[in-house]
């Protein structure tokens, strides 16, 4: 039975008060925080993690271990294979961190953007570490506020029509589907390519948000055909200004329904 403990803590998407009391109490149990540095333009996200540690941890005796995130290999053509290879490299790096930076009896923590259950690979990678059997640990997951919840709150909307479904997907998936498909209450994340541009449905409405929860938050809502260009322009200006952007949007047929 391992005495090493690992906490996967959801920290919300940029507002320091989105952390739950459960998250703050968990952070106070950690001896070591593992922070993946994804390079240049994502430095703001590393800084945010350091700020919440300084703000919420009562005894400042913890350590922060920064690790450079291995880059994805652009020579691997298939998206799935590329991500798989990248995850395998991350699993090597996580296993090493847990073995070398965490003594028996200590508690380590990963501060995960938003919630660990949504488009985040930390849990999947730790499963791989467990499967390899080179280091053992007890895992605990603390949920966080997702960008989807932050989007709905900022626009003051419910995501579903009464009793209806909500579909959460990625820009890549949206681009690969039939452009005439009926879209209603579809949340799109991880869309670096403004995939809404390819949608022709004149009835479609968009609720778009970038930097949700942060001081730079941007919101646009309206009929897609009326605001598509404006969002694209805002997006590229903001990206140039801050060096990074994260945006999420809801596509909906009829906002009055
Ligand atoms: C790798 S996923 C992480 C999602 C995260 N685990 C969550 O719970 O929201 C990154 C995507 O989440 C969305 N996202 C994360 N933070 C955001 C923010 N502050 N504002 C808008 N979208 C955000 C964007 O769609 C971005 O491409």
């Amino acid at each position: 039975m391992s005495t090493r403990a690992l906490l996967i803590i959801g920290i919300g998407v940029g507002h320091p008060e989105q952390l739950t009391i459960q998250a703050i109490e968990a952070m106070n149990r950690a001896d070591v925080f593992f922070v993946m540095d994804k390079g240049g333009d994502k430095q703001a996200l590393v800084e945010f993690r350091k700020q919440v540690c300084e703000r919420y941890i009562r005894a400042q005796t913890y350590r922060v271990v920064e690790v450079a995130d291995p880059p994805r290999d652009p020579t691997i053509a298939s998206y799935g294979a590329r991500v798989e290879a990248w995850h395998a490299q991350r699993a090597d790096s996580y296993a090493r961190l847990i073995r070398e930076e965490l003594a028996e009896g200590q508690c380590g923590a990963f501060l995960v953007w938003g919630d660990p259950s949504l488009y985040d690979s930390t849990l999947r990678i730790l499963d791989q570490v467990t499967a390899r059997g080179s280091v053992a640990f007890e895992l605990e997951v603390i949920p966080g506020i997702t960008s989807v919840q932050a989007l709905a709150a900022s626009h003051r909307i419910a995501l579903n029509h009464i009793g209806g479904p909500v579909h959460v997907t990625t820009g890549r998936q949206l681009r690969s589907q039939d452009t005439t498909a009926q879209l209603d209450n579809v949340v799109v994340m991880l869309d670096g390519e403004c995939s809404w541009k390819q949608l022709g449905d004149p009835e479609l409405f968009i609720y778009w948000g970038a930097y949700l929860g942060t001081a730079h938050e941007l919101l646009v809502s309206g009929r897609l055909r009326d605001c598509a260009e404006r969002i694209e322009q805002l997006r590229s200006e903001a990206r140039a200004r801050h060096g990074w952007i994260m945006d999420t949007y809801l596509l909906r047929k009829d906002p009055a329904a």
Side-chain angles (χ1 to χ4, degrees), residues 15 58 73 108 162 169 219 236 245:
H15 193 302
R58 295 180 285 270
D73 182 349
I162 297 171
T169 190
L219 296 173
S236 78
I245 188 162

Side-chain angles (χ1 to χ4, degrees), residues 9-119:
I9 306 173
I11 58 169
V13 289
H15 193 302
E17 293 175 8
Q18 278 175 3
L19 278 94
T20 65
I21 294 167
Q22 189 185 14
I24 292 170
E25 291 306 317
M27 284 168 66
N28 275 282
R29 284 160 50 203
D31 300 294
V32 183
F33 289 88
F34 300 120
V35 176
M36 303 309 282
D37 184 350
K38 300 194 178 189
D41 58 357
K42 292 280 166 65
Q43 192 53 33
L45 309 187
V46 172
E47 285 308 313
F48 179 79
R49 287 174 170 84
K50 290 185 183 164
Q51 280 163 22
V52 293
C53 285
E54 277 163 32
R55 177 164 173 171
Y56 291 119
I57 299 179
R58 295 180 285 270
Q60 302 279 317
T61 51
Y62 60 88
R63 285 192 302 130
V64 174
V65 177
E66 279 187 54
V67 197
D69 203 16
R72 298 189 203 198
D73 182 349
T75 62
I76 304 176
S78 135
Y79 173 76
R82 201 160 58 238
V83 171
E84 225 173 89
W86 180 51
H87 281 186
Q89 273 185 287
R90 286 180 117 189
D92 289 341
S93 155
Y94 284 20
R96 187 183 47 74
L97 281 178
I98 299 164
R99 241 186 351 256
E100 295 176 6
E101 299 287 349
L102 208 58
E104 287 283 338
Q106 282 199 316
C107 177
F110 287 89
L111 301 181
V112 169
W113 198 253
D115 182 78
S117 68
L118 191 63
Y119 294 118

Side-chain angles (χ1 to χ4, degrees), residues 217-228:
E217 181 170 285
L218 294 171
L219 296 173
V220 175
S221 62
R223 202 176 282 273
L224 180 57
R225 65 170 181 221
D226 298 335
C227 38

Side-chain angles (χ1 to χ4, degrees), residues 13 113-115 118-120 145-148 189-191 209-212 246-248:
V13 289
W113 198 253
D115 182 78
L118 191 63
Y119 294 118
D120 185 89
I145 301 290
T146 68
S147 48
V148 180
M189 303 173 66
L190 288 163
D191 184 4
Y211 312 100
L212 291 159
M246 284 210 269
D247 58 340
T248 303

